[in-house]
Amino acid sequence: MMMSMIPLSPPITPKTYHEKYDDEIDPILLSRRLSKTYPRTKSIPRQSLPSHTRGCFQMNTFSILIKKEKPRRSSIPSKKAKADKSKTESAIFYDTMDLAQPDNQFILPQWMPNMNAFEQRSHVRAIWKGTPLDISSLPYYEWLHPGEVDIASILRLSPEQYLKCRRSLILAAQQFDKSQMKFRKSDAQKCVRIDVNKTSSLWCVFNALGWFKPQKI
């Protein structure tokens, strides 16, 4: 009795790693890709926590309830703010000044200009280039002291301009002294509406006469 032989198929072996890509990638390119090496990254050494703090953590349970307060602005004005305010007030005072009102309504008695200073300090004079101005026929001329006539004439200021400058500068010096600040030339230039160089000359004359300091009564 003859037995029929059934052909057996060869055993199926799993594909190797290379055979997996045989149908997709060129073997030469695959070998180059597999042989490519990548540089190793160095690990950064880190300091480990002490043994007694490992596995522990801290949490502030009240941090949510605490509100960050914004810094409050001080309601007390600074010396600089007071000085800037005094400059503005003096400039407005110069523009709206009424010479018909006497000086003692605005200036304290110890700050009133002492006319005897012209005799005590006769060397004090204004310096200005140019010919002195004849102001004898201008309004308010009779209100000036003879020493003030020379100052206004040399600086080529009308009597009205001079009187307004005198009152404004002395009032500003009084306000600066109240704020415990020094009254400088640059401060005086912002208080009147005349040439800044003439204002500087007036500041020098009034300061030399002692009008920027309170007098002893």
Side-chain angles (χ1 to χ4, degrees):
M1 183 177 178
M2 295 182 60
M3 297 180 63
S4 60
M5 300 294 294
I6 300 174
L8 299 176
S9 60
I12 300 173
T13 57
K15 289 187 177 182
T16 62
Y17 184 77
H18 295 278
E19 293 174 348
K20 182 178 180 181
Y21 300 95
D22 286 346
D23 299 335
E24 301 176 5
I25 304 176
D26 187 12
I28 299 175
L29 297 177
L30 180 62
S31 61
R32 291 180 180 177
R33 182 178 298 178
L34 295 176
S35 62
K36 186 177 180 180
T37 58
Y38 297 92
R40 296 180 60 185
T41 58
K42 294 183 179 181
S43 61
I44 301 174
R46 297 182 180 179
Q47 185 177 3
S48 59
L49 297 174
S51 58
H52 62 277
T53 59
R54 292 178 182 175
C56 301
F57 68 96
Q58 294 180 353
M59 182 176 66
N60 188 359
T61 56
F62 300 99
S63 60
I64 302 176
L65 302 177
I66 299 175
K67 296 182 180 180
K68 295 182 179 180
E69 296 183 357
K70 297 182 179 180
R72 298 180 180 179
R73 295 183 178 179
S74 177
S75 59
I76 302 175
S78 61
K79 291 184 178 180
K80 183 178 180 181
K82 291 181 180 179
D84 294 339
K85 184 178 180 181
S86 65
K87 295 173 189 176
T88 306
E89 291 178 351
S90 299
I92 296 174
F93 179 74
Y94 179 89
D95 295 333
T96 59
M97 185 183 304
D98 183 10
L99 293 178
Q101 298 176 346
D103 290 340
N104 55 16
Q105 292 187 5
F106 307 96
I107 303 174
L108 296 176
Q110 61 269 26
W111 284 88
M112 291 293 294
N114 182 16
M115 298 303 167
N116 295 329
F118 287 103
E119 299 177 0
Q120 299 171 358
R121 306 176 185 182
S122 58
H123 62 281
V124 177
R125 291 187 178 182
I127 300 175
W128 188 254
K129 57 184 178 180
T131 306
L133 179 67
D134 183 12
I135 60 175
S136 58
S137 60
L138 297 179
Y140 303 104
Y141 172 80
E142 63 279 2
W143 290 21
L144 301 182
H145 185 274
E148 294 181 307
V149 172
D150 294 338
I151 296 173
S153 178
I154 292 173
L155 296 179
R156 301 183 63 83
L157 296 174
S158 66
E160 182 180 3
Q161 287 178 315
Y162 173 83
L163 291 172
K164 293 176 72 173
C165 289
R166 187 187 70 182
R167 184 182 294 182
S168 297
L169 295 180
I170 294 177
L171 179 62
Q174 175 182 313
Q175 293 176 348
F176 270 74
D177 183 75
K178 185 178 180 180
S179 302
Q180 298 180 355
M181 296 187 65
K182 187 177 180 180
F183 185 55
R184 302 168 299 179
K185 289 183 182 179
S186 57
D187 301 321
Q189 293 171 357
K190 300 176 183 178
C191 298
V192 295
R193 306 295 189 185
I194 62 173
D195 183 79
V196 292
N197 296 320
K198 293 183 179 181
T199 306
S200 299
S201 182
L202 277 179
W203 183 93
C204 293
V205 172
F206 292 167
N207 186 53
L209 293 174
W211 290 357
F212 289 157
K213 296 179 181 179
Q215 306 294 327
K216 294 181 180 180
I217 301 177

